[in-house]
């Protein structure tokens, strides 16, 4: 059966680093035609936004990134690995991480025919000394 796999350990980075948040489907499964969502489950919707829209770190739909519901601080800093999608690799690259990026991330494939369609990956951003 298909399931989503990530990293049991948190991903640790220093401010300014580029990171890869691991998440993939096992066994290999082409997800190119599917919707892939990366979100911050602990982030509350902006209280000033009366529409209280769901916002995404990265939203992939209809074979491309949809940016209209993207959390502004991630604009221009996230990418999926286009080649990897064919093998079910939906790992997310985030460049130039900051302290505000620290927290829990959720990768989610809503239409995956599986019991486990999502997974949490933890990112820790700290000064190394
Ligand atoms: C997914 O792709 C990334 C970037 O190429 C790579 O680092 C990672 O090992 C891949 N994961 C799997 C399970 O192949
Ligand atoms: C990385 O982020 C910091 C803080 O947001 C910014 O000042 C800096 O210009 C960014 N660096 C690059 C290479 O984008």
């Amino acid at each position: 059966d298909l399931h989503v796999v990530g990293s049991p350990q948190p991903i640790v980075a220093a401010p300014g680093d580029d990171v890869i948040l691991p998440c993939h489907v096992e066994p290999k499964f082409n997800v190119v035609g599917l919707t892939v969502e990366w979100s911050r489950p602990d982030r509350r919707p902006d209280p000033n936004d009366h529409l209280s829209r769901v916002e995404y770190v990265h939203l992939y739909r209809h074979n491309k990134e949809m940016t209209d519901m993207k959390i502004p601080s991630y604009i221009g800093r996230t990418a999926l690995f286009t080649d990897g999608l064919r093998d079910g690799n939906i790992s997310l690259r985030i460049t130039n991480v900051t302290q505000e990026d620290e927290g829990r991330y959720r990768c989610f494939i809503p239409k995956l025919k599986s019991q486990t369609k999502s997974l949490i990956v933890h990112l820790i951003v700290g000064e190394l000394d």
Side-chain angles (χ1 to χ4, degrees), residues 7 14 42 57 61 69 72 79 85 87 113 116 118 123 127 129:
S7 168
D42 302 327
V57 173
R61 184 182 285 165
M69 291 179 285
L85 294 175
D87 294 332
K113 292 196 170 31
T116 48
S118 75
L123 174 64
E127 294 285 359
D129 46 21

Side-chain angles (χ1 to χ4, degrees), residues 87-98:
D87 294 332
N89 187 346
I90 60 165
S91 299
L92 182 74
R93 179 182 176 84
I94 305 178
T95 55
N96 196 13
V97 297
T98 69

Side-chain angles (χ1 to χ4, degrees), residues 20 24 81 89 91:
I20 295 174
H24 69 276
F81 296 91
N89 187 346
S91 299

Side-chain angles (χ1 to χ4, degrees), residues 4-111:
V4 179
V5 182
S7 168
Q9 268 87 42
I11 306 305
V12 181
D17 281 358
D18 298 347
V19 296
I20 295 174
L21 303 183
C23 187
H24 69 276
V25 179
E26 240 170 48
K28 284 184 179 181
F29 181 79
N30 188 336
V31 299
V32 167
L34 299 181
T35 294
V36 174
E37 303 178 5
W38 276 93
S39 60
R40 296 281 305 262
D42 302 327
R43 226 184 101 110
R44 292 169 184 284
D46 183 351
N48 297 320
D49 180 355
H50 62 286
L51 296 173
S52 198
R53 297 174 309 163
V54 179
E55 290 188 304
Y56 297 96
V57 173
H58 194 100
L59 175 63
Y60 171 87
R61 184 182 285 165
H62 307 312
N63 301 300
K64 59 176 188 290
E65 189 194 355
M66 312 294 279
T67 53
D68 51 332
M69 291 179 285
K70 194 176 176 82
I71 300 170
S73 63
Y74 292 98
I75 291 171
R77 296 172 51 224
T78 63
L80 296 175
F81 296 91
T82 317
D83 292 342
L85 294 175
R86 251 174 270 127
D87 294 332
N89 187 346
I90 60 165
S91 299
L92 182 74
R93 179 182 176 84
I94 305 178
T95 55
N96 196 13
V97 297
T98 69
Q99 202 68 56
E100 288 77 58
D101 294 342
E102 178 165 298
R104 300 195 312 148
Y105 289 75
R106 178 172 183 250
C107 58
F108 179 39
I109 307 176
K111 292 274 171 62

